[in-house]
Amino acid sequence: MRVIAGKYKGRNIISPSRGEVRPTTDMVKGSLFSILESRKALDGARCLDLFCGSGALGIEALSRGAASCVFLDKDTVNAQKNLDKIGISPRMVRADYVKGLRLLRGEKFDIIFCDPPYKTEFGQDALRLIFKYSLLADGGIIIIEHNREKRLINAPNDCIIDRREFGITALEIITRGNCESDNSRIV
């Protein structure tokens, strides 16, 4: 794995070596960040990399102009190694997603990356908690990566959801807004 663009372009990233590991492919990562860049969402963004694993999505966001990123996972060892290797020291939250999201109450994020283990229902539950704790900033974006066979989203009615599929992977791109009057936010 590697950082594919920005100031850390080409830097290698180690991925977790135990458990069910499914790093985001360069093709999916490239498409995702093209979407974010087309929305001009990255410049100065406050990000949350939930279920961060290696930290690849948060590192890519920082490389491409995000102002900050909080890395949250119950095991942050690989993310910390990658961040140390690159020479950056953002905030790390070592906790399961339920406790971690509760700890972040009161904070606002412009972009939330949510890449839970595929064989769990953690993505849907994390989405519920993100809205419960009001973690998404006005105009913010949540990206949930999951197995495309799952129909995920049970988001509030004022959300715009754009689904993209890449092989076995689906990305749900969620923004808040009036779905009937704010179609400009759809990619």
Side-chain angles (χ1 to χ4, degrees):
M1 290 186 354
R2 62 186 175 89
V3 179
I4 56 178
K7 62 184 170 186
Y8 307 124
K9 180 181 179 176
R11 303 293 277 282
N12 288 323
I13 296 174
I14 59 168
S15 65
S17 59
R18 55 184 207 273
E20 185 177 319
V21 176
R22 180 206 29 78
T24 302
T25 65
D26 281 356
M27 180 186 73
V28 173
K29 191 166 40 169
S31 295
L32 168 60
F33 280 93
S34 288
I35 292 166
L36 293 173
E37 287 177 335
S38 74
R39 294 178 179 206
K40 301 189 182 344
L42 287 166
D43 290 340
R46 296 160 298 170
C47 300
L48 170 61
D49 191 349
L50 180 57
F51 305 100
C52 69
S54 67
L57 294 175
I59 292 168
E60 191 75 37
L62 292 169
S63 181
R64 293 177 186 234
S68 64
C69 187
V70 174
F71 293 81
L72 191 159
D73 204 322
K74 66 181 182 180
D75 181 357
T76 57
V77 171
N78 287 302
Q80 188 65 63
K81 286 179 184 176
N82 286 324
L83 292 161
D84 290 346
K85 196 164 125 179
I86 291 172
I88 52 180
S89 54
R91 184 170 162 204
M92 303 289 287
V93 177
R94 186 174 188 160
D96 67 60
Y97 73 97
V98 175
K99 181 179 179 184
L101 291 173
R102 188 175 57 244
L103 290 169
L104 294 173
R105 277 184 306 212
E107 297 189 40
K108 296 288 185 185
F109 298 96
D110 302 305
I111 301 172
I112 299 175
F113 301 103
C114 181
D115 186 10
Y118 270 22
K119 293 183 180 180
T120 69
E121 298 300 320
F122 295 166
Q124 186 62 52
D125 193 37
L127 182 64
R128 180 186 62 77
L129 293 171
I130 288 165
F131 288 117
K132 176 182 178 180
Y133 298 136
S134 299
L135 296 172
L136 189 64
D138 290 341
I141 301 168
I142 302 169
I143 299 100
I144 300 182
E145 183 177 337
H146 61 92
N147 186 305
R148 75 178 178 105
E149 292 176 7
K150 284 190 177 188
R151 295 316 268 178
L152 185 62
I153 303 310
N154 188 10
N157 290 334
D158 65 342
C159 288
I160 298 168
I161 302 170
D162 182 20
R163 181 181 172 99
R164 304 290 173 100
E165 293 183 0
F166 308 87
I168 65 164
T169 299
L171 294 177
E172 305 283 349
I173 303 160
I174 305 163
T175 54
R176 298 292 301 254
N178 182 321
C179 295
E180 295 173 357
S181 65
D182 194 10
N183 288 328
S184 64
R185 292 171 70 185
I186 299 175
V187 174

